[in-house]
Amino acid sequence: AQKVTQAQTEISVVEKEDVTLDCVYETRDTTYYLFWYKQPPSGELVFLIRRNSFDEQNEISGRYSWNFQKSTSSFNFTITASQVVDSAVYFCAGGNNRLAFGKGNQVVVIP
Amino acid sequence: NAGVMQNPRHLVRRRGQEARLRCSPMKGHSHVYWYRQLPEEGLKFMVYLQKENIIDESGMPKERFSAEFPKEGPSILRIQQVVRGDSAAYFCASSTGGNSPLHFGNGTRLTVT
C-alpha cells in the first residue's frame, strides 16, 4: 500500500517570500517515482517534476527546487520569491504505474 | 502537439442518467489512466488501460462504473445510473508506458442534480 502525506492544508505567504511544501511518501516498493503537480484555479493539472527513488540529488528549476531524502521518505518542494501566479493547489504523488496522491497544499500568495 | 484532450469539460446529469466521459491521449501514448477528484480532496486512482486491455481496475467502484480504451477512438469512462455522490472532477492521464510521466487532461467536472 502507498501513502502520501501532505500535512499542511493551506499556506499563505506574502509575495516574494519563500514557501516550502512538505511531502512524505510511504511504500513497500524499493523503487518508485515521486511527482509534484500544480493545480491552478482553472482546474487543470500541470506536471512539475518527476524523481526516481535512486536519485537523491536536489534539483532546481528557476524559482522551484526539490529536496528528496529517501531515509525520511520526504520529497519537499520550495518556491523561492513567490509570485501571485504561484497561487494554486500543489499535489505530491508517488508510485510506479498507479500513482497515489496527497490531499494537496493550497498556496495563497498575497500581493 | 495537442495534450490529453478530455470532453466534455462540464457535464450535468440528473440522478439515474448515464454519464460518458471521453479522453483522447497525447499522440504516441498508448496508456491511459482515470482518476477521480472529490471536492477539496486529492486524486484517487480508478483504472489503468492500454489499448483494448484493462491493466488495473482496482480503484473502480464495483457497480455502475466501466471503462474502455478501444483500438480506435478515445477512452471512455462510463457511469450508469448516476447518484449525487458521483459528482466530482474526473481526470484522464496518458503516458508511453513504463515509468514515463503521466500527462493529465483538463478534467471533466460532473455534476449530478
Side-chain angles (χ1 to χ4, degrees), chain A:
Chain A
Q2 310 155 292
K3 184 179 177 184
V4 181
T5 303
Q6 292 181 255
Q8 311 120 304
T9 50
E10 182 167 329
I11 304 163
S12 293
V13 295
V14 176
E15 201 172 17
K16 297 184 184 174
E17 288 183 342
D18 297 348
V19 56
T20 294
L21 308 179
D22 301 325
C23 173
V24 174
Y25 177 64
E26 297 169 72
T27 180
R28 290 181 184 158
D29 294 335
T30 53
T31 61
Y32 51 87
Y33 284 82
L34 293 168
F35 301 80
W36 277 94
Y37 287 89
K38 174 182 179 180
Q39 187 174 42
S42 49
E44 70 271 24
L45 278 165
V46 179
F47 166 76
L48 295 179
I49 188 171
R50 180 186 72 148
R51 302 303 299 276
N52 73 51
S53 53
F54 286 106
D55 184 359
E56 291 194 64
Q57 190 171 3
N58 292 340
E59 183 160 339
I60 298 173
S61 175
R63 295 183 299 105
Y64 295 165
S65 62
W66 293 271
N67 177 279
F68 172 50
Q69 293 186 347
K70 192 167 185 178
S71 59
T72 57
S73 303
S74 67
F75 185 40
N76 297 337
F77 170 35
T78 298
I79 304 171
T80 303
S82 60
Q83 300 176 0
V84 173
V85 293
D86 297 326
S87 296
V89 181
Y90 292 85
F91 290 100
C92 177
N96 287 296
N97 287 322
R98 172 187 164 164
L99 296 184
F101 280 75
K103 292 192 173 181
N105 300 125
Q106 171 82 58
V107 173
V108 177
V109 181
I110 303 164

Side-chain angles (χ1 to χ4, degrees), chain B residues 38-113:
Chain B
L38 293 170
E40 299 185 13
E41 294 259 337
L43 280 72
K44 299 278 193 250
F45 169 80
M46 298 181 76
V47 63
Y48 164 32
L49 309 105
Q50 208 177 344
K51 283 286 187 182
E52 299 185 275
N53 290 310
I54 296 175
I55 307 299
D56 181 352
E57 58 180 346
S58 56
M60 286 279 269
K62 293 287 185 276
E63 297 175 349
R64 303 186 297 108
F65 284 72
S66 62
E68 62 177 13
F69 187 19
K71 189 176 180 181
E72 301 291 337
S75 174
I76 306 286
L77 179 67
R78 183 180 174 208
I79 311 172
Q80 295 177 289
Q81 299 174 318
V82 295
V83 301
R84 287 218 175 98
D86 297 332
S87 295
Y90 292 83
F91 285 92
C92 170
S94 73
S95 77
T96 55
N99 293 313
S100 57
L102 272 59
H103 292 268
F104 282 84
N106 288 341
T108 293
R109 279 142 188 88
L110 171 66
T111 303
V112 180
T113 60

